[in-house]
Amino acid sequence: MGETPSSQTVYVKLLRIAQAAKRYREQAFTTLAHHIDVEWLREAYRRTKKSGASGVDGQTARQYAEDLEANLQSLLNRFKSGTYRAPPVRRVHIPKGSDGKQTRPIGIPTFEDKVLQRAVTMLLEAIYEQDFRDYSYGFRPGRSAHQALEAVREASMQVGGGWVLEVDIRKFFDSLDHESLLKIVRCRVRDGVLLRVIGKWLNAGVMERGAVQYPEAGTPQGGVISPLLANIYLNEVIDKWFSDVVLRHLKGRAKLVRYADDMVMVFAREDDARRVFEVLPKRFGKYGLKLHPDKTKLVDFRRPKRGNPKGPGSFDFLGFTHHWGTSRRGNHVVRQKTAKDRLSRALHQIQQWCKANRHEPLLAQQQGLASKLSGHYEYYGITSNFEAIKQFYTETERIWRKWLSSRSRAGNVTWDRMKEVLGRFPLLKPTIQHRYGT
């Protein structure tokens, strides 16, 4: 859906808010909700994904659009008067591990709630984008996971690998302290209407199997505003602290790279790394957060000695294992390859899909697999990772053949027969999508 005249009007408003936030960095905004009108909600509706699953009320985007203007006006009236009631999110579980047994809970708001959350997110984002540090890359305009990966690679190369601190917050989205979050928000936003609705979202509850629970902490993953609230929280907890306090007390260079609640710190000196490692639990504990004792660790990532192609250690970040390798010229370089658990998980999903769709026409199966391969290459197709995405392609071929054999009356589909199938219905070959220095 393309931009509309309303989009341009809202854009101008957002630009003015951002300029004011940048000019008055130490001040809090007391009046903001007046910016949200029907035109603003219409733009929020335009930016809201229409194909998502429905929430607890079962209403779809199409049904909401049948009387869109009246619905938006009603939503605005309830938002401004304080009578808006934030419905509980519908909790579902999606596979997390490669065996399909581990799951991650996701909250699904109602469609109307998504629209209002988007409207408030647009407003808050204009302010907080002026405050956020360059360390964070997750769920921010113009920033991506691949930029975070490149930042980690560059930081590691600049200090010869150094010492890498992997930081893992235990159940962050379930542990985010409501009182601490609202206290942080009030430093920049003191508009009563906005604070009231944010509080309602934090306390809306979660519906699972017909029962509603009201957690005292956390923000449901899946909510439109949740990533922004997480960034606001972690900007205070870690980003500002790292730049304003930590860096001033270090003897050597250091770099923090954060994508939502995934983060690593790269240090040139071991003593700096160990000092920060020791104080991290206390820093996070101040805000009600706990570090995972096994997954939070210090890695010796120094450049290998001459004649040794591999370094002493490796670490994982955003689905990639970072390790030392050699360039075509024989120089030591930091490389990134698909982490084993992510590759196993992706292949498990291919396995389940082929099993469920094995009786579909070959063309339909080819198109489905092409979509999955394309998505995999789009994320994992980075410089130095060709062998891993090639392996994913090869394994996908093998899995497809296996499940085609299970439906064949003639029994096993030989590789000669499979080559004929692939000749008529070829799978998408692996390609590098993101290139940067080697």
Side-chain angles (χ1 to χ4, degrees):
M1 188 182 296
E3 289 193 356
T4 65
S6 295
S7 300
Q8 292 298 320
T9 303
V10 172
Y11 173 78
V12 172
K13 285 185 178 181
L14 288 170
L15 184 60
R16 290 172 179 168
I17 295 168
Q19 290 172 340
K22 188 174 183 178
R23 187 180 305 117
Y24 306 107
R25 291 184 182 275
E26 303 301 321
Q27 295 186 22
F29 289 81
T30 56
T31 57
L32 285 169
H34 66 279
H35 291 292
I36 299 180
D37 52 18
V38 170
E39 196 171 41
W40 189 288
L41 289 179
R42 196 179 299 122
E43 175 62 13
Y45 166 81
R46 189 186 73 84
R47 298 187 186 188
T48 301
K49 184 179 179 182
K50 310 300 189 296
S51 58
S54 58
V56 294
D57 62 354
Q59 186 180 49
T60 64
R62 178 176 295 181
Q63 292 170 333
Y64 193 81
E66 289 175 357
D67 197 5
L68 180 61
E69 293 304 313
N71 286 332
L72 294 180
Q73 185 62 59
S74 172
L75 176 60
L76 178 65
N77 293 341
R78 284 175 283 137
F79 166 66
K80 290 292 182 69
S81 66
T83 59
Y84 179 78
R85 297 182 62 183
V89 298
R90 181 169 66 88
R91 174 171 284 174
V92 297
H93 295 266
I94 61 174
K96 181 180 180 181
S98 59
D99 58 2
K101 295 180 180 179
Q102 292 181 305
T103 61
R104 175 183 289 108
I106 295 293
I108 303 175
T110 64
F111 183 77
E112 182 176 67
D113 206 42
K114 290 179 184 177
V115 173
L116 186 55
Q117 285 193 33
R118 176 61 62 196
V120 174
T121 297
M122 288 159 52
L123 186 56
L124 295 181
E125 199 172 67
I127 296 170
Y128 282 100
E129 273 300 311
Q130 317 314 312
D131 298 350
F132 289 158
R133 302 303 200 263
D134 288 339
Y135 305 136
S136 66
Y137 293 84
F139 307 102
R140 292 183 58 190
R143 292 183 159 237
S144 69
H146 293 105
Q147 291 175 339
L149 288 164
E150 174 61 354
V152 169
R153 196 193 73 86
E154 285 185 354
S156 302
M157 289 289 291
Q158 287 170 0
V159 299
W163 295 79
V164 175
L165 180 54
E166 292 186 73
V167 182
D168 187 281
I169 306 174
R170 174 175 278 175
K171 297 183 178 180
F172 169 71
F173 283 93
D174 294 332
S175 305
L176 191 150
D177 183 73
H178 294 173
E179 185 176 342
S180 295
L181 173 61
L182 289 173
K183 182 178 179 181
I184 293 169
V185 171
R186 287 191 192 98
C187 291
R188 281 297 252 164
V189 177
R190 292 181 189 163
D191 184 298
V193 176
L194 290 178
L195 291 173
R196 184 166 55 231
V197 76
I198 292 172
K200 288 180 178 181
W201 282 323
L202 292 174
N203 296 292
V206 176
M207 177 177 286
E208 187 172 7
R209 298 174 183 172
V212 179
Q213 298 179 339
Y214 297 93
E216 295 181 359
T219 175
Q221 294 187 63
V224 175
I225 200 170
S226 294
L228 177 59
L229 294 179
N231 273 335
I232 292 172
Y233 201 67
L234 289 175
N235 180 64
E236 182 69 27
V237 175
I238 190 70
D239 299 357
K240 289 171 62 176
W241 175 70
F242 189 84
S243 63
D244 299 346
V245 179
V246 173
L247 290 180
R248 293 186 310 180
H249 293 85
L250 299 183
K251 298 177 182 178
R253 299 168 67 181
K255 174 86 171 186
L256 165 67
V257 179
R258 181 175 66 79
Y259 189 93
D261 61 325
D262 291 325
M263 69 191 83
V264 294
M265 300 177 187
V266 181
F267 298 88
R269 295 172 57 107
E270 180 183 4
D271 54 350
D272 285 339
R274 293 197 179 279
R275 285 171 60 202
V276 175
F277 192 15
E278 289 176 2
V279 300
L280 270 185
K282 183 177 180 180
R283 177 63 186 178
F284 280 95
K286 180 180 178 181
Y287 293 89
L289 302 175
K290 294 182 179 180
L291 297 179
H292 196 292
D294 299 321
K295 296 180 180 179
T296 299
K297 54 189 176 182
L298 189 59
V299 178
D300 180 354
F301 195 62
R302 288 173 294 176
R303 180 185 284 111
K305 295 180 180 180
R306 186 179 298 276
N308 181 10
K310 295 183 179 180
S314 62
F315 64 95
D316 288 354
F317 181 58
L318 297 181
F320 288 86
T321 296
H322 296 64
H323 64 101
W324 282 100
T326 54
S327 68
R328 294 178 180 178
R329 297 180 179 180
N331 299 321
H332 287 123
V333 293
V334 174
R335 295 194 176 278
Q336 298 156 316
K337 63 181 180 181
T338 311
K340 289 183 179 179
D341 63 332
R342 295 297 184 93
L343 181 59
S344 297
R345 186 190 308 175
L347 289 173
H348 176 77
Q349 292 171 348
I350 293 289
Q351 180 94 263
Q352 295 299 106
W353 190 91
C354 286
K355 178 181 179 181
N357 293 273
R358 63 188 183 277
H359 296 299
E360 295 296 318
L362 287 177
L363 178 60
Q365 292 191 48
Q366 177 211 34
Q367 292 173 341
L369 289 173
S371 175
K372 294 185 176 300
L373 286 166
S374 177
H376 190 85
Y377 302 156
E378 176 58 34
Y379 187 73
Y380 290 102
I382 68 172
T383 300
S384 81
N385 197 40
F386 184 77
E387 288 302 316
I389 60 173
K390 181 181 178 182
Q391 180 185 354
F392 183 73
Y393 169 84
T394 302
E395 288 296 308
T396 298
E397 274 191 348
R398 182 188 63 78
I399 293 169
W400 194 21
R401 171 177 170 261
K402 168 189 171 182
W403 288 106
L404 288 180
S405 295
S406 73
R407 79 169 193 172
S408 173
R409 294 181 180 178
N412 185 49
V413 175
T414 65
W415 274 111
D416 286 338
R417 170 63 180 141
M418 191 63 193
K419 288 179 181 177
E420 293 178 12
V421 172
L422 291 170
R424 293 166 52 211
F425 304 98
L427 294 180
L428 189 64
K429 293 292 181 69
T431 55
I432 297 298
Q433 304 288 322
H434 307 276
R435 298 183 181 276
Y436 41 74
T438 58

